[in-house]
Amino acid sequence: MAPTTGDLQLTSPGAGEHSDDLEDVRLLDSYDTHYIHHDETKRIQVRITGMTCAACSNSVETALRSVHGVTDASVALLQNKADVIFNPSLVKDDDIKNAIEDAGFEAEILRESGTAERGGGAAVVGQFTIGGMTCAACVNSVEGILKRLNGVKRAVVALATSLGEVEYDPNVITKDDIVAAIEDAGFEGSFVQSNGQGQVVLGVGGVYSLGDAKVLEGMLSGLKGVRQFRFDPVLNELDVVYDLEVISSRSLVDGIHLGSNGKFRLHVRNPYARMASKDGSETSNMFRLFSSSLFLSIPLFFIGVICPHIPLVYSLLLWRCGPFLMGDWLKWALASVIQFVIGKRFYIAAGRALRNGSTNMDVLVALGTTASYVYSVCALLYGAVTGFWSPTYFETSAMLITFVLFGKYLECLAKGKTSDAIKKLVELTPATAILVVKDKGGRTVEEREIDSLLVQPGDTLKVLPGTKIPADGIVTWGSSYVNESMVTGESTPLSKEVNASVIGGTINLHGALHIQATKVGSDTILSQIISLVETAQMSKAPIQKFADYVASIFVPTVVILSLLTLLCWYIAGALGVYPEKWLPENGNHFVFALMFSISVVVIACPCALGLATPTAVMVATGVGANNGVLIKGGDSLERAQMVKYVIFDKTGTLTQGKSKVTAAKVFTGMDRGEFLTLVASAEASSEHPLGKAILQYARHFHFFDESSPTCGTKNGAEEFKSGWLYDVSDFSALPGRGIQCFIDGKRILVGNRKLLEENGIEISTEVENFVVELEESAKTGILVAYDDVLTGALGIADPLKREAAVVIDGLRKMGVIPVMVTGDNWRTARAVAKEVGIEDVRAEVMPAGKSEVVRSFQKDGSMVAMVGDGINDSPALAAADVGMAIGAGTDVAIEAANYVLMRDNLEDVITAIDLSKKTFFRIRLNYVFAMAYNVVAIPVAAGVFFPSLRIQLPPWVAGACMAMSSVSVVCSSLLLRRYKKPKLTTILEIVVN
């Protein structure tokens, strides 16, 4: 057997040094739910071991809720975790742990951070492909097997993508052990990638013989820092584990290339491209099986249907050869090949399921086809012994397998379409990059083309016009316009000058650029987007619990119904309930009943139920990504479509976040220029946006200069602040009030009324009237006191986003109630709210208090969404049922939010809610299709309508119906790809002339 990458241990020797990496990635933590809890209650999280299916999680929930003092409990099967809210005066932590253990599971109380202690080693999140899964029962089986492995902390398996993500301790279990466990369960498993470091998979060119392979291995053995490697001569893949502190992936590639004098050509294999290749291979394999089965089924069809009408051919088929006719020999031979060679996969999958104590669709197919085949063989043997020849049904089993394989092939094609979003994102990454090598004087000494996946932080890269930017970075030379629409959804090209940031995967339109790479590989914005989309597609919405439960009892129920059908028809025939003319030619009551029974077995389809939710979620997350809306999971979609309140932060969300000083007034005899210099000097050390606006205004007043500090460079900021400002000492920022510092030994206060009142500084009527006038015109009033005397005031305005008022009106038309929360004063808050049309306003709220505002709206059970900039709004985003981080195109990994809106545009809030509603409408429709199909099809197959309407489904027709049912559900989900963002003119019923 050819070696595979699964033969390598991919644990980085320095794993312990990266113990925090998992906290950044959190691949399996996008399924956290949020719960309401009051001051008199306590919330804890418990890790549960031993759960394998939805029935297990239901039993744990029941056990927890039966404990006196527990107010709410929710169990997440995917995370092996329970979230429990209880009254600590009535129940203790150990009581909750004991309740879970009494239910038959192991429990561990987690720390408040939500993560258990790792105990010496960093956990690794690995991604594995799992082949051979056919329905939700398979998913439950694989998840159960993985979760029971010693060292595995969490496991999530997705049927739609044939992927599994496993969080495990590499000190206890290796990826090879996990692959072996998957394969021991009867599935095909292979490792894709992990969040560990120091591992690379390379495609190798130039290896044509065993001798070449030996030379390559010798070179690798001689490279310092290479710890493990394995070359697969079949795939021409080289899997290398190396020490990051000793050698880099680029040095490794360069070393082999130069050491072989260019004979060996290495390039990094993109893990997503490898997965796409495997998906294509699975589709091709399914088509090959279907084609082979169809090729052999056609002669069976001709022998049974066409040949009897062709005398010469029919006479040959009637020629006796031994105990049987030639036609019987041919049908048996063809059917046997289809049954046991082509259909072997159904027996393997069915045996695997039964071995693990579960059942799935493969059990039904194997049962139905085997019954038909075995009966036909027995009929031939009985005829040879007794001379009484009963009809055979070899073509039934053959056609049934053919139609099932056809359905599986169509299903593979449809699944491929659902993953188009990730494929498109992966294609944004350019294959190569131009590396610029410079000497110490900054002169270019070499330019060469390298694999873009080998770019390292700090590299200088040349980007030609019309090419893609290979990594996130900073422009160091040149100017151009860059199209970032494929990442951020913003259609207008953006100007890029020196020190401007650029995003990998975007397109340089005009001039040549030199950029310095700052983020590469999995740290780039594009990679994080891909990771978010993929993680969301792997998540399960709560509504899928229903499908998991039905799948667990579906197959046993169908088998029972099939046996009842067989008994009812056979007993009815034996008692003479129906006439003999109903029987097939040369048939008997048992054969007549058996055909109905087989039809029941093969027409029932649990796959459609299992695919109803994940396919819709998968398509929706892809559609959202294409529209600049990143969704973190199916649970987020489910909550968003039920949102009643949307709470908006004011600054940077409803407003543009670009504060400008619009008024400045001095109330003492101080010169205006001196006043502005004092204020600017005080604010120069502040990072607050209002402080930066004051600094900009003062500079413009003195120098008539509209420029701003050079972004991204410390020297630029220092140059902006120095030369004309006073020296400041004892600077301190006072959250919610302002700042305080000393200039020439005199105290200066810059802030709101509260700051001055706390320091005993009187605010005159003239000043108060001036500030009130500012606030009533939606501006923020800033008071300035120097040497304990109120010296002057400034008015700062933050313009509203142009779409704000229309979006607020649109939400109201959709039945959603908008709310505004801000730390600003009431007059300014009311003025801004009036401009945008928001009636419910919460003002003078500290950042930490925003989460309390969210909870106040949740008290009646309403779903609440919070829209913020993802920085100081993080507590509120986490507290909300649906957190939306807006304008986060450069920080897509905001853990607190459920949605990341890439564009700084409020219209995407409407898009997010509308897409969620459309997705769950589609999911419900899928369940209607799946349930209606089984509810209608099973009675028809059982012959319920045969006595009155003479409707009978032959088993091969039932098989065709079963095959098409899951395809219809997948195709229904694919219709979401036609989703169009709602037009505000339509929502607001505006007629455009």
Side-chain angles (χ1 to χ4, degrees):
M1 178 180 292
T4 66
T5 56
D7 295 327
L8 274 175
Q9 174 156 338
L10 300 182
T11 305
S12 172
E17 298 171 9
H18 303 281
S19 59
D20 291 331
D21 287 353
L22 186 65
E23 300 303 322
D24 297 330
V25 180
R26 306 311 302 166
L27 291 175
L28 300 175
D29 269 3
S30 59
Y31 315 107
D32 285 343
T33 51
H34 311 286
Y35 301 93
I36 312 161
H37 61 282
H38 306 288
D39 294 336
E40 68 273 11
T41 62
K42 180 181 178 181
R43 173 181 174 176
I44 64 169
Q45 291 186 332
V46 187
R47 187 184 299 281
I48 304 171
T49 304
M51 296 191 299
T52 58
C53 62
C56 297
S57 61
N58 291 338
S59 64
V60 174
E61 281 188 6
T62 301
L64 288 172
R65 288 173 177 167
S66 65
V67 176
H68 179 62
V70 172
T71 58
D72 192 14
S74 179
V75 178
L77 176 63
L78 297 178
Q79 295 174 286
N80 277 346
K81 190 162 61 176
D83 200 297
V84 187
I85 301 173
F86 61 97
N87 188 333
S89 63
L90 300 176
V91 63
K92 304 301 180 186
D93 293 7
D94 287 342
D95 297 331
I96 293 172
K97 180 181 178 182
N98 293 335
I100 297 173
E101 291 176 344
D102 290 343
F105 303 91
E106 297 179 14
E108 175 191 359
I109 305 296
L110 300 179
R111 297 177 302 170
E112 290 186 1
S113 62
T115 58
E117 294 183 3
R118 302 191 189 283
V124 172
V125 177
Q127 192 176 72
F128 300 81
T129 58
I130 304 171
M133 295 189 297
T134 57
C135 63
C138 297
V139 173
N140 294 337
S141 177
V142 175
E143 283 187 350
I145 291 167
L146 291 175
K147 290 171 182 175
R148 287 193 293 269
L149 293 175
N150 186 28
V152 171
K153 299 186 176 184
R154 309 181 195 181
V156 178
V157 176
L159 175 63
T161 57
S162 295
L163 286 176
E165 284 189 350
V166 184
E167 180 186 345
Y168 61 97
D169 186 346
N171 297 317
V172 179
I173 187 172
T174 69
K175 70 174 185 62
D176 299 335
D177 298 328
I178 295 173
V179 170
I182 295 171
E183 291 177 344
D184 288 344
F187 297 88
E188 298 172 5
S190 65
F191 177 78
V192 179
Q193 62 179 349
S194 75
N195 67 338
Q197 300 295 317
Q199 179 267 336
V200 65
V201 179
L202 303 168
V204 183
V207 179
Y208 304 111
S209 64
L210 183 60
D212 291 338
K214 294 280 188 185
V215 172
L216 177 62
E217 291 178 359
M219 295 177 63
L220 285 166
S221 299
L223 286 176
K224 187 179 180 180
V226 173
R227 296 186 172 179
Q228 288 180 316
F229 62 87
R230 186 172 182 82
F231 176 65
D232 186 337
V234 176
L235 299 176
N236 279 334
E237 282 189 353
L238 178 64
D239 199 341
V240 185
V241 179
Y242 58 94
D243 188 338
L244 282 173
E245 300 300 321
V246 178
I247 190 171
S248 67
S249 57
R250 190 165 76 212
S251 300
L252 190 153
V253 170
D254 290 344
I256 295 175
H257 181 75
L258 295 174
S260 65
N261 293 322
K263 175 178 174 61
F264 299 138
R265 301 174 302 277
L266 279 69
H267 61 275
V268 181
R269 286 284 175 89
N270 189 310
Y272 296 103
R274 293 169 64 209
M275 288 165 48
S277 176
K278 289 186 177 181
D279 290 342
S281 176
E282 182 182 358
T283 303
S284 300
N285 181 56
M286 197 59 64
F287 179 74
R288 180 180 57 80
L289 290 174
F290 161 66
S291 302
S292 301
S293 183
L294 180 63
F295 178 75
L296 296 176
S297 296
I298 290 175
L300 276 173
F301 177 78
F302 269 82
I303 291 172
V305 179
I306 305 298
C307 292
H309 301 286
I310 306 175
L312 179 61
V313 177
Y314 191 54
S315 63
L316 293 175
L317 295 176
L318 294 177
W319 178 53
R320 184 167 294 277
C321 183
F324 306 120
L325 301 179
M326 180 59 71
D328 293 330
W329 282 110
L330 288 174
K331 287 194 289 186
W332 171 79
L334 292 170
S336 296
V337 174
I338 296 173
Q339 186 75 28
F340 300 112
V341 179
I342 298 174
K344 178 177 66 174
R345 66 184 305 276
F346 296 112
Y347 285 104
I348 294 174
R352 156 183 83 218
L354 294 173
R355 230 179 15 249
N356 293 317
S358 61
T359 53
N360 55 24
M361 189 207 73
D362 296 298
V363 173
L364 296 180
V365 174
L367 188 61
T369 57
T370 302
S372 178
Y373 178 85
V374 169
Y375 168 78
S376 299
V377 172
C378 291
L380 285 179
L381 295 175
Y382 183 77
V385 173
T386 65
F388 179 80
W389 299 93
S390 297
T392 59
Y393 295 94
F394 287 117
E395 66 277 1
T396 295
S397 62
M399 293 299 290
L400 174 57
I401 289 176
T402 301
F403 277 114
V404 172
L405 290 173
F406 177 61
K408 288 295 178 185
Y409 169 63
L410 294 179
E411 195 175 302
C412 286
L413 289 177
K415 285 181 181 178
K417 293 293 184 182
T418 61
S419 60
D420 279 354
I422 289 182
K423 292 177 183 176
K424 290 179 180 177
L425 288 170
V426 171
E427 289 170 356
L428 292 178
T429 304
T432 60
I434 300 175
L435 177 66
V436 179
V437 181
K438 297 185 178 183
D439 59 18
K440 293 182 179 180
R443 294 184 298 271
T444 300
V445 297
E446 181 188 3
E447 290 184 6
R448 63 188 178 96
E449 192 172 78
I450 64 170
D451 193 317
S452 64
L453 296 177
L454 294 176
V455 174
Q456 300 170 0
D459 283 346
T460 298
L461 307 172
K462 184 177 182 179
V463 186
L464 298 174
T467 61
K468 296 175 182 176
I469 295 172
D472 294 359
I474 301 294
V475 176
T476 59
W477 175 86
S479 63
S480 181
Y481 280 86
V482 174
N483 181 4
E484 297 183 348
S485 62
M486 62 289 297
V487 176
T488 66
E490 192 64 55
S491 58
T492 305
L494 300 179
S495 174
K496 299 295 181 179
E497 305 283 345
V498 173
N499 293 318
S501 60
V502 291
I503 301 173
T506 58
I507 300 176
N508 179 27
L509 295 179
H510 302 301
L513 296 173
H514 281 190
I515 69 167
Q516 184 179 48
T518 56
K519 293 182 179 179
V520 300
S522 60
D523 293 329
T524 64
I525 291 172
L526 182 59
S527 293
Q528 292 183 47
I529 292 174
I530 293 173
S531 178
L532 275 179
V533 173
E534 189 175 49
T535 303
Q537 291 180 345
M538 291 192 65
S539 69
K540 291 181 180 179
I543 194 174
Q544 197 171 343
K545 290 182 179 179
F546 167 73
D548 291 340
Y549 171 71
V550 172
S552 66
I553 64 172
F554 188 88
V555 175
T557 302
V558 169
V559 172
I560 293 172
L561 289 175
S562 175
L563 293 174
L564 289 175
T565 300
L566 176 64
L567 290 174
C568 289
W569 278 106
Y570 181 72
I571 293 172
L575 296 177
V577 175
Y578 57 82
E580 295 288 332
K581 64 180 181 179
W582 286 7
L583 299 178
E585 185 179 355
N586 296 329
N588 53 46
H589 295 295
F590 177 76
V591 174
F592 186 59
L594 182 63
M595 290 301 102
F596 284 115
S597 178
I598 293 175
S599 294
V600 170
V601 168
V602 299
I603 202 169
C605 183
C607 293
L609 284 170
L611 292 169
T613 297
T615 53
V617 170
M618 193 170 186
V619 176
T621 51
V623 168
N626 290 336
N627 286 279
V629 177
L630 298 182
I631 307 165
K632 287 194 175 180
D635 53 344
S636 302
L637 280 166
E638 185 163 354
R639 291 196 296 268
Q641 52 102 24
M642 297 185 290
V643 162
K644 181 179 179 181
Y645 296 97
V646 175
I647 301 176
F648 291 92
D649 176 51
K650 180 180 76 73
T651 305
T653 303
L654 289 173
T655 66
Q656 296 178 14
K658 299 176 181 178
S659 301
K660 292 184 178 180
V661 176
T662 59
K665 189 172 182 179
V666 182
F667 296 100
T668 64
M670 183 181 290
D671 177 72
R672 182 183 177 90
E674 176 69 9
F675 168 73
L676 291 176
T677 302
L678 279 172
V679 180
S681 300
E683 292 287 1
S685 300
S686 173
E687 294 297 327
H688 197 283
L690 297 185
K692 293 178 180 179
I694 293 172
L695 191 61
Q696 178 72 26
Y697 180 80
R699 181 184 178 95
H700 176 66
F701 177 85
H702 287 294
F703 306 108
F704 301 99
D705 182 7
E706 292 287 354
S707 65
S708 59
T710 306
C711 298
T713 62
K714 182 178 179 180
N715 292 338
E718 292 298 327
E719 181 183 351
F720 178 78
K721 296 175 184 177
S722 64
W724 59 283
L725 300 176
Y726 298 130
D727 292 331
V728 172
S729 62
D730 297 331
F731 174 88
S732 60
L734 307 171
R737 289 167 291 177
I739 64 165
Q740 170 184 288
C741 64
F742 288 85
I743 297 177
D744 293 333
K746 298 178 181 179
R747 184 174 65 169
I748 182 169
L749 301 172
V750 183
N752 55 23
R753 294 182 182 86
K754 187 175 182 181
L755 176 64
L756 270 65
E757 290 171 352
E758 287 178 352
N759 288 275
I761 298 174
E762 183 181 353
I763 301 174
S764 66
T765 303
E766 180 187 6
V767 175
E768 179 66 23
N769 291 337
F770 177 74
V771 173
V772 168
E773 183 181 348
L774 290 173
E775 293 171 345
E776 289 179 345
S777 59
K779 297 174 184 176
T780 301
I782 302 295
L783 299 173
V784 181
Y786 180 60
D787 197 18
D788 294 336
V789 176
L790 202 161
T791 307
L794 301 100
I796 300 180
D798 186 0
L800 287 169
K801 292 177 180 176
R802 61 181 183 179
E803 74 276 7
V806 182
V807 168
I808 296 302
D809 198 11
L811 286 171
R812 193 175 286 107
K813 292 280 186 180
M814 295 171 67
V816 179
I817 302 173
V819 180
M820 188 184 82
V821 60
T822 178
D824 216 333
N825 62 81
W826 276 101
R827 288 193 185 91
T828 303
R830 289 194 184 102
V832 172
K834 185 177 180 180
E835 285 190 52
V836 297
I838 293 179
E839 298 176 0
D840 197 336
V841 182
R842 307 297 167 94
E844 298 181 2
V845 179
M846 297 289 287
K850 293 180 182 178
S851 56
E852 295 302 322
V853 173
V854 169
R855 294 189 183 99
S856 69
F857 285 97
Q858 293 173 324
K859 286 183 179 178
D860 63 352
S862 298
M863 285 288 177
V864 178
M866 173 70 195
V867 185
D869 58 15
I871 302 171
N872 63 341
D873 300 316
S874 294
L877 290 170
D881 299 291
V882 180
M884 296 185 184
I886 190 169
T890 56
D891 187 16
V892 300
I894 296 178
E895 292 297 330
N898 305 101
Y899 285 74
V900 178
L901 311 182
M902 298 293 291
R903 302 186 308 160
D904 193 12
N905 192 316
L906 291 171
E907 293 180 23
D908 288 342
V909 175
I910 289 180
T911 300
I913 296 174
D914 182 68
L915 177 59
S916 300
K917 291 184 176 181
K918 294 285 198 311
T919 301
F920 263 79
F921 170 77
R922 183 61 55 183
I923 289 174
R924 293 186 185 99
L925 196 61
N926 287 349
Y927 278 123
V928 169
F929 284 160
M931 292 299 296
Y933 163 79
N934 285 291
V935 168
V936 173
I938 292 177
V940 172
V944 171
F945 302 104
F946 184 80
S948 57
L949 302 176
R950 297 295 186 275
I951 296 177
Q952 182 180 15
L953 288 180
W956 67 271
V957 175
C961 293
M962 182 269 288
M964 295 307 296
S965 63
S966 57
V967 175
S968 65
V969 168
V970 175
C971 291
S972 171
S973 295
L974 285 174
L975 290 176
L976 279 172
R977 296 177 69 196
R978 302 173 61 185
Y979 173 83
K980 300 295 183 184
K981 295 173 64 173
K983 295 181 179 179
L984 289 174
T985 53
T986 303
I987 296 175
L988 299 176
E989 300 176 355
I990 298 174
V991 178
V992 181
N993 296 321

